[in-house]
Amino acid sequence: TALALLFLLAPGALLLSIARPRGQPGDLGAWLALSLALGLAAWPLLWHGATLLGLRWNGLALWAATLAMGAAALVRGWRGAPRRVGWEGGALALILLGAWALRLLATGDLAFLPWVDSVRHATIAAVMAETGQTMRGYAPLLPEVTHFPYHFGFHTLPASLTLMGAGGMAPLLLALQALLNALAPLALYGAAWLITGSRRAALVAAFLVAFPAFFPAYYATWGRLTQLAGLLVLAPLAGLT
């Protein structure tokens, strides 16, 4: 989990520190939500850029890139990151921890995420981990399938974490969906704060997504991992826009 959070947040935090957008949030939760959204959007571009150049990602390169971006973000941007936490920050942390615990509890007895989509996601991520590149076909797992009519953005996450030594694909997907699902309240918190400027309104939005709402928590039942990752990008972007 710690590795996944570092992997997800490092590129976004670095981009925020470099760009310093006019609407850069003065709230730590919203700043983290934007860093998460940017990180989720950056890794597919980094993977595809390497593929277009004929390069291949491996565990060492991914570790080096992640640590380098994290260190650069700390040096450049952490001084400018919001510091005020207050009781709202503690409440948000409790909401996120509670959401994570519920997601882990709901899928704790599963050996593999249910539904057909989960098998497809695991296959795509396994091919990318094997080749170190974005998809053109399914070789070497399914060499007879030479066409790939699908998006690969989410799959850069489990493929990267696999190469970095995070474990087998089945338990990794279970853990990753629980983490991303638990981060959905953070994304909605960021969007609500960016739209309203109110931490209390943002906390209400985060609470509703974390606990009483069926979605996106229920996405685990259908293996909607790509849609879940997309929501974490879309919500802060909508708020920033």
Side-chain angles (χ1 to χ4, degrees):
T1 301
L3 171 59
L5 286 173
L6 173 63
F7 182 81
L8 290 170
L9 292 172
L14 178 59
L15 287 171
L16 276 181
S17 73
I18 294 172
R20 298 190 182 279
R22 196 173 182 180
Q24 182 163 326
D27 178 84
L28 182 58
W31 186 86
L32 289 171
L34 275 179
S35 296
L36 173 67
L38 285 168
L40 280 165
W43 277 114
L45 296 176
L46 291 171
W47 267 75
H48 196 52
T51 301
L52 292 176
L53 292 173
L55 304 175
R56 297 178 185 272
W57 285 103
N58 56 42
L60 181 61
L62 287 163
W63 269 107
T66 302
L67 293 175
M69 286 188 286
L74 284 174
V75 171
R76 289 184 54 89
W78 189 250
R79 293 189 301 271
R83 289 292 196 278
R84 183 179 180 273
V85 178
W87 69 266
E88 297 96 341
L92 177 61
L94 287 175
I95 289 172
L96 295 176
L97 287 172
W100 186 41
L102 281 179
R103 272 58 169 178
L104 290 174
L105 183 64
T107 57
D109 292 333
L110 297 178
F112 195 87
L113 277 174
W115 207 247
V116 187
D117 289 15
S118 301
V119 177
R120 187 180 194 186
H121 296 321
T123 304
I124 294 170
V127 170
M128 289 177 61
E130 182 73 23
T131 62
Q133 295 184 325
T134 52
M135 299 280 288
R136 295 188 182 93
Y138 284 84
L141 265 63
L142 301 170
E144 67 277 7
V145 183
T146 57
H147 187 46
F148 181 67
Y150 201 63
H151 42 82
F152 54 80
F154 161 78
H155 306 94
T156 59
L157 308 181
S160 297
L161 294 172
T162 297
L163 288 171
M164 296 169 79
M169 191 60 68
L172 177 59
L173 286 181
L174 281 167
L176 193 55
Q177 73 80 25
L179 178 63
L180 294 179
N181 231 314
L183 289 172
L186 176 65
L188 267 291
Y189 176 95
W193 187 90
L194 288 163
I195 292 169
T196 67
S198 167
R199 288 185 174 89
R200 296 188 180 188
L203 282 174
V204 171
F207 175 84
L208 291 175
V209 173
F211 300 111
F214 285 127
F215 299 103
Y218 205 69
Y219 285 169
T221 304
W222 300 324
R224 292 289 191 266
L225 300 174
T226 52
Q227 188 172 5
L228 177 60
L231 286 175
L232 300 187
V233 177
L234 178 62
L237 174 62
L240 190 63
T241 303

